[in-house]
Amino acid sequence: MIAVLCVTPAALATARTIVRLLPEAELHGLSGRIDDAPVVFSDTKAHIGQLFKDGHSIIGVCAAGILIRAIGPHLLDKQAEPAVVAVAPDGSSAVPLLGGHHGANELARRLAEMLGGHAAITTAGDLKLGVALDEPPPGWHVANPAAAKPVAAALLAGEPVRLEVEAGDADWLSHLSFAEDAEPSVRVTDHAVMAEDRELLLNPPVLALGVGCERDCDPAELAALVRDTLEAEALAPGAIACIASVDLKIDERAVLELARSLGVPARFFTAARLNEEAPRLKNPSDIVLKEIGCPGVAEGAALAAAGPEAELVVPKTKSKRATLAIARAPHAIDPARIGRAPGRLFVVGIGPGTAQWRTPQASAAIAAASDLVGYGLYLDLLGEAAAGKTRHQSDLGAEADRARMALDLAGQGKSVALVCSGDAGIYALATLVFELIEREANPVWRGTDILVIPGVSALQAAAARAGAPVNHDFCTISLSDLLTPWETIEKRLHAAAEADFVVCFYNPVSKRRRDQLTRARDILLTGRPAETPVILARQLGRPEEHMRIIALGDLTADDADMLTMVVVGSSESRRIAFNGRDWVYTPRGYAKKL
């Protein structure tokens, strides 16, 4: 995620343009000035510092001094710092302040091109050489980063530097002048070698690591097989472009953990696609695996990933329950163009409405998603955070269809956010996702990485607006009998009345259900007085927000609808007047200790 910070309305147009043109960017606005941003902050210095410490790239559409003062106390490791770029409020210039060789220079160039401004690049290597040796193209790996500086210095000084290309190609260095015989050198290799003095080792992403394993293989066994094989063959882990296997292994823990540990993507192919590679196998097997329908999973997957010009450099190697093979491509492998990626499904609670109640994790998930699935109103509440995303919306009542669509899209390898209001796990769609997985067992959904992201619930928002009504024991009850029989709801109401819980009612009234709220009122009145305070909070966090407090004995169906949160106090709850308005709190007993 790239945080685009805006602290003044004068810079908002530029900030919004950046967010619109950078899919990975998200607008962060200063409270009181940019309140409709997906992320709103009140302490500029603290917010920037936290983003920097968390490793997020930062684009500040503001004076460079604001960023410098905020980040200065957190400067520790030059090699680990994220990109920080200052952009003039009118977009006329983009200045990389930190992380120039970690993406800031390239980001500044992109911004300048998008905004029609100028990228103020100050790093000597980028200015004179046009490249940063310690920031190679995506997928490349610098085996010995400390050697980049002296080699770049030699090039800048006009000293002769040798280039040795042992694997792949180095087209991105082709505009530089190299000598055939020189001590400083750049060596492009897929082998694990010891660097000579003043030698920079670059690993190109030319190796495809094909793997196969039995179901529920121990991840440690597969990892050990890979480690031992790479060591035996003297191959560099940094040259591995991807892990490849058959699609039946798309949810195999050992395969996925291997990809994560190596920091490379996993890609999967159908059995039919692997069968196409059979003629290229060095030792083709006559045995067809019944579960998969093809021989040589590891070898076939490695060759399929590396492409038609690839060669098998490590034939099938076995451990007790796993196999691997390695293929080398003549050029860099782009994993985004091959096979099928495991999908990601974020089940996101975005809070009741306002972006101020949306958690940073929820905002990051929405920013990372390519597709948004949800009720149309909830997607609208995202505002600019939904810009550039593919929307899949449906009406209320189509919850199962929404959850199923989100799973289907993730099963295609997409990053999907299933958007819920409030908290995704409180009367929302998180439970439906897992219920569908259990009941339907759709093989298309296998391998989907699911992350449930909590949000501020309506009950929390209502309680905060009213004071502190749920500071002691409370319960939530949905009054909708569409999915739960009224007899069951009634039992829960009687139990809540007897236990004297503060009760938060979801779905209190609809056009067709007009009597449940009054029946619930009557049951609660058996255990608490008619003067018990009731909080009626409607459209929380939205422009139509309205809240009032009444007595339980006065509660009727006309006081609520499906957009209203009803919080009924316990017999201990108190209604007080303070500073020109009424508040509700439920004492917990702290005052007795005073």
Side-chain angles (χ1 to χ4, degrees):
M1 194 237 343
I2 300 175
V4 179
L5 287 112
C6 185
V7 296
T8 63
L12 186 55
T14 298
R16 283 178 169 162
T17 299
I18 294 171
V19 171
R20 186 177 71 253
L21 297 177
L22 284 180
E24 65 271 39
E26 179 181 53
L27 182 62
H28 292 224
L30 179 61
S31 177
R33 296 181 181 178
I34 319 291
D35 286 326
D36 60 345
V39 177
V40 178
F41 57 89
S42 56
D43 187 327
T44 301
K45 185 175 181 180
H47 187 67
I48 294 172
Q50 190 61 53
L51 287 169
F52 185 79
K53 288 194 295 182
D54 291 343
H56 296 298
S57 295
I58 300 171
I59 299 173
V61 190
C62 58
I66 295 175
L67 298 171
I68 293 169
R69 285 189 292 272
I71 291 169
H74 308 291
L75 294 177
L76 296 173
D77 183 0
K78 177 181 177 181
Q79 299 302 322
E81 63 192 20
V84 180
V85 179
V87 175
D90 63 357
S92 59
S93 61
V95 184
L97 300 178
L98 288 171
H101 290 174
H102 297 133
N105 287 346
E106 179 58 29
L107 184 57
R109 291 190 182 98
R110 290 174 65 189
L111 291 168
E113 182 178 354
M114 291 187 302
L115 300 172
H118 170 69
I121 308 298
T122 59
T123 49
D126 289 75
L127 288 172
K128 186 171 182 179
L129 303 180
V131 296
L133 295 180
D134 57 354
E135 189 185 9
W140 285 66
H141 175 73
V142 182
N144 55 340
K149 187 173 182 179
V151 172
L155 287 168
L156 288 170
E159 298 176 8
V161 176
R162 185 176 73 256
L163 174 65
E164 296 182 24
V165 180
E166 299 175 356
D169 54 48
D171 290 346
W172 61 286
L173 298 174
S174 61
H175 65 288
L176 299 178
S177 297
F178 291 99
E180 293 186 4
D181 187 16
E183 180 181 340
S185 65
V186 177
R187 185 176 177 184
V188 178
T189 180
D190 60 358
H191 280 84
V193 296
M194 290 292 293
E196 298 178 1
D197 291 340
R198 303 182 70 190
E199 180 181 51
L200 176 65
L201 297 177
L202 301 177
N203 301 140
V206 295
L207 300 181
L209 180 58
V211 297
C213 62
E214 296 180 13
R215 178 59 66 182
D216 297 324
C217 173
D218 183 355
E221 178 183 341
L222 181 58
L225 176 63
V226 171
R227 182 185 64 248
D228 294 345
T229 303
L230 291 176
E231 290 180 358
E233 301 292 332
L235 292 173
I240 296 174
C242 65
I243 305 300
S245 191
V246 68
D247 57 5
L248 284 178
K249 300 299 179 184
I250 197 169
D251 60 344
E252 189 65 51
R253 179 185 166 202
V255 177
L256 298 176
E257 286 195 10
L258 176 65
R260 280 193 289 267
S261 68
L262 291 172
V264 298
R267 292 295 182 264
F268 300 88
F269 300 87
T270 64
R273 175 66 185 88
L274 298 190
N275 277 331
E276 295 175 6
E277 301 296 339
R280 301 172 65 193
L281 303 186
K282 291 186 176 181
N283 299 297
S285 171
D286 295 329
I287 301 175
V288 175
L289 301 179
K290 293 181 179 180
E291 177 193 5
I292 298 174
C294 68
V297 169
E299 294 173 307
L303 289 168
E309 300 178 72
E311 61 172 336
L312 200 63
V313 293
V314 178
K316 182 161 62 177
T317 303
K318 300 180 180 180
S319 63
K320 183 178 180 180
R321 303 184 66 194
T323 62
L324 72 77
I326 301 175
R328 177 188 290 126
H331 308 288
I333 298 170
D334 182 0
R337 297 177 177 272
I338 58 174
R340 172 185 167 193
R344 292 189 298 171
L345 174 57
F346 305 107
V347 189
V348 183
I350 63 170
T354 175
Q356 291 176 307
W357 283 336
R358 193 178 307 149
T359 68
Q361 187 186 26
S363 296
I366 293 164
S370 60
D371 293 68
L372 305 176
V373 180
Y375 174 45
L377 172 63
Y378 303 157
L379 298 185
D380 291 340
L381 290 174
L382 292 175
E384 293 187 359
K389 315 290 183 182
T390 303
R391 289 172 51 126
H392 309 268
Q393 67 183 59
S394 58
D395 298 328
L396 283 176
E399 287 80 8
D401 291 339
R402 284 202 293 276
R404 194 176 287 109
M405 176 184 291
L407 284 164
D408 287 343
L409 290 168
Q412 297 171 19
K414 297 181 179 181
S415 291
V416 184
L418 178 58
V419 178
C420 311
S421 69
D423 180 275
I426 300 178
Y427 302 113
L429 299 185
T431 189
L432 182 55
V433 167
F434 294 107
E435 188 173 7
L436 288 173
I437 290 173
E438 180 184 24
R439 289 191 174 195
E440 300 185 7
N442 189 333
V444 174
W445 303 340
R446 293 176 60 184
T448 297
D449 184 20
I450 297 176
L451 181 63
V452 179
I453 297 175
V456 175
S457 68
L459 76 89
Q460 291 172 299
R465 286 287 197 251
V470 296
N471 198 48
H472 210 329
D473 297 335
F474 69 95
C475 67
T476 66
I477 299 177
S478 171
L479 293 183
S480 172
D481 58 359
L482 293 177
L483 301 175
T484 304
W486 176 253
E487 292 77 12
T488 300
I489 297 173
E490 202 167 40
K491 289 179 182 178
R492 294 169 181 171
L493 288 167
H494 281 290
E498 182 179 355
D500 197 23
F501 283 122
V502 173
V503 182
C504 306
F505 286 132
Y506 283 75
N507 309 313
V509 175
S510 71
K511 292 180 180 179
R512 291 181 297 176
R513 294 184 295 102
R514 301 293 301 170
D515 63 335
Q516 280 93 333
L517 182 59
T518 52
R519 291 164 71 180
R521 173 203 65 197
D522 293 341
I523 292 173
L524 292 184
L525 282 171
T526 63
R528 63 200 72 187
E531 295 77 24
T532 299
V534 176
I535 301 158
L536 301 166
R538 188 176 188 277
Q539 293 273 50
L540 288 166
R542 305 170 192 174
E544 302 83 6
E545 179 179 313
H546 179 72
M547 197 191 76
R548 62 195 180 103
I549 301 170
I550 65 172
L552 178 58
D554 298 331
L555 181 63
T556 70
D558 294 332
D559 291 314
D561 59 16
M562 288 294 284
L563 298 177
T564 305
M565 185 76 219
V566 180
V567 181
V568 181
S570 72
S571 64
E572 297 293 322
S573 298
R574 300 288 182 264
R575 179 178 180 175
I576 64 171
F578 176 73
N579 202 26
R581 58 160 291 186
D582 286 348
W583 301 85
V584 175
Y585 77 97
T586 303
R588 193 179 178 192
Y590 294 119
K592 295 178 182 179
K593 299 179 180 181
L594 299 179

